[in-house]
Amino acid sequence: MSNGMLDEWAGLSGKVAVITGGAGGLGRACTTALARAGMSVAVCDRDPDAVDAATAILDEMGVASYLEAFDVRDSDALTAFFDVVDERFDALDVLVTIPGGGFRKPLIDMTPNGTNAVINLNFVAVLEACQHAARRMIARGTRGSIVNMSTIEAHRAMPDM
């Protein structure tokens, strides 16, 4: 179940990772790579079908895991998720934040609600997840890693984006 060099260099075996947006696409690739390196993983994603598919993969790998479908913009749900991670794993060594997105609409036509939705998903929810993780890492006196990821779309201009 090892990733070879990843596990050898990083020493991740036996540690716990939380991956927000970790059930589909890039998130699932990160989740399975960390699981192969010997980590227990807690995953949240707003796509219930992706959560079901990721659960099946992790179960087949025999990895200690907890997966839940909800939108990370829901602060109460995010808090509850981290509380369950505390109960199940009593540790948090790595946080990877991957959720994000937007929608196609000319900037001049965006409504305040649309603007707030994009900001909440791409910034506020990421900040809240980082705060949850950092508080736990500090309280336990353990060091950890926080990795925030985005797609190339965050760094280049496109029509109607």
Side-chain angles (χ1 to χ4, degrees):
M1 186 164 68
S2 176
N3 268 347
M5 275 198 286
L6 176 62
D7 190 38
E8 183 181 323
W9 288 352
L12 299 175
S13 185
K15 297 189 183 259
V16 177
V18 167
I19 306 98
T20 63
L26 179 62
R28 185 181 301 167
C30 289
T31 295
T32 56
L34 294 173
R36 275 191 219 100
M39 295 191 84
S40 299
V41 294
V43 174
C44 61
D45 198 293
R46 65 181 169 187
D47 181 348
D49 293 333
V51 168
D52 290 344
T55 298
I57 291 167
L58 294 170
D59 286 350
E60 186 175 307
M61 292 172 69
V63 173
S65 62
Y66 167 62
L67 292 89
E68 187 176 340
F70 68 92
D71 190 326
V72 293
R73 291 176 290 189
D74 181 339
S75 292
D76 292 338
L78 188 63
T79 298
F81 175 77
F82 274 91
D83 289 344
V84 172
V85 171
D86 290 340
E87 293 169 17
R88 291 200 179 191
F89 300 107
D90 194 34
L92 176 54
D93 302 291
V94 174
L95 168 68
V96 180
T97 65
I98 302 175
F103 49 89
R104 288 190 177 271
K105 191 169 201 168
L107 180 65
I108 60 172
D109 294 332
M110 284 186 65
T111 65
N113 284 343
T115 301
N116 288 333
V118 171
I119 291 169
N120 286 336
L121 180 59
N122 293 287
F123 176 69
V124 176
V126 171
L127 176 62
E128 287 184 15
C130 291
Q131 290 171 325
H132 281 293
R135 286 182 189 121
R136 284 159 172 80
M137 292 172 182
I138 292 167
R140 289 189 177 105
T142 59
R143 294 184 177 181
S145 297
I146 296 176
V147 179
N148 300 307
M149 300 179 75
S150 72
T151 69
I152 190 65
E153 303 306 327
H155 305 284
R156 67 178 182 172
M158 292 180 58
D160 297 327
M161 293 280 295

